[in-house]
């Protein structure tokens, strides 16, 4: 039986691409705003593109913020992608006054002024350890990034990977059942699908 993965649909950006990628690696992925379906899913994905504040506003308008936090509190595997990763932090310099979900303590900040913003390119991801996202610290997949802001966690122990863009930039975080990536695995060719498959394997165990 395929694990049921709920991809949160709060109406901003191309959320279908994450769902389609999860389907390609064998998950029963549903793009949904149905609270009951999310509550019954084996795992939950929070994708996101665009502006931090607008994404948080849309998530709250759909009343999916509490649903996301409930899923995390339940211990089910939870994956944030791109702005979906940023939304797991307290706040962002992109949208002063807009509160994030506060799952990870820290702030999302501008990339350094010394580099082109946004970072819109393939870059090497350098894992810090093995986990649900990376098989080992030697994994180093090429991944596709599109972002002008990066997460700066208060506790660096949650960092699962960096990339180099004007200095070390957090590319992934992981703690317990929650993992998140700044890049787009669904746009990162075979390496991105391999990452999603590795994460989905942990979902199958949890299901």
């Amino acid at each position: 039986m395929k694990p049921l993965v709920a991809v949160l649909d709060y109406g901003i950006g191309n959320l279908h691409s994450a769902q389609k990628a999860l389907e390609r690696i064998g998950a029963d992925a549903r793009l949904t705003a149905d609270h009951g379906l999310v509550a019954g899913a084996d795992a939950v994905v929070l994708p996101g593109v665009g502006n931090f504040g607008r994404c948080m506003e849309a998530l709250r308008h759909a009343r999916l913020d509490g649903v996301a936090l409930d899923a995390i509190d339940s211990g089910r595997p939870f994956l944030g992608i791109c702005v979906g990763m940023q939304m797991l932090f307290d706040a962002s310099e992109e949208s002063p006054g807009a509160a994030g979900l506060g799952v990870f303590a820290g702030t999302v900040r501008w990339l350094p002024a010394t580099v082109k913003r946004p970072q819109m390119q393939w870059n090497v991801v350098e894992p810090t350890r093995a986990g649900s996202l990376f098989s080992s610290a030697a994994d180093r997949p090429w991944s596709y990034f599109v972002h002008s802001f990066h997460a700066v966690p208060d506790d660096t122990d949650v960092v699962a990977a960096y990339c180099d863009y004007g200095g070390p930039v957090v590319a992934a975080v992981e703690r317990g059942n929650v993992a998140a990536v700044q890049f787009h695995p669904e746009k990162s060719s075979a390496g991105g699908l391999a990452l999603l498959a590795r994460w989905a394997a942990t979902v199958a165990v949890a299901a």
Side-chain angles (χ1 to χ4, degrees), residues 163-188:
C163 70
D164 182 8
Y165 194 66
V169 170
V170 173
V173 292
E174 184 168 5
R175 184 181 64 205
N177 60 306
V178 184
V181 294
Q182 178 59 65
F183 53 91
H184 286 275
E186 75 279 11
K187 298 179 181 178
S188 297

Side-chain angles (χ1 to χ4, degrees), residues 55-132:
C55 285
M56 284 304 310
E57 181 181 6
L59 191 73
R60 292 191 167 105
H61 181 74
R63 296 186 296 112
L64 288 171
D65 53 331
V67 173
L69 292 172
D70 287 345
I72 290 170
D73 290 343
S74 74
R76 287 173 287 160
F78 190 100
L79 177 65
I81 297 175
C82 196
V83 176
M85 169 176 155
Q86 297 177 9
M87 293 161 73
L88 295 173
F89 284 82
D90 294 322
S92 174
E93 291 181 344
E94 182 176 24
S95 305
L101 293 171
V103 176
F104 294 105
T107 302
V108 178
R109 303 195 182 280
W110 280 99
L111 288 169
T114 54
V115 295
K116 183 180 178 181
R117 301 187 298 211
Q119 175 181 202
M120 188 180 298
Q121 63 177 34
W122 291 79
N123 203 341
V124 176
V125 173
E126 302 178 21
T128 61
R129 62 181 185 274
S132 70

Side-chain angles (χ1 to χ4, degrees), residues 33-41 67:
D34 185 302
H35 292 196
L37 192 153
V38 178
V67 173

Side-chain angles (χ1 to χ4, degrees), residues 8-13 15 58:
L8 298 183
D9 182 5
Y10 54 98
I12 287 189
L15 306 178

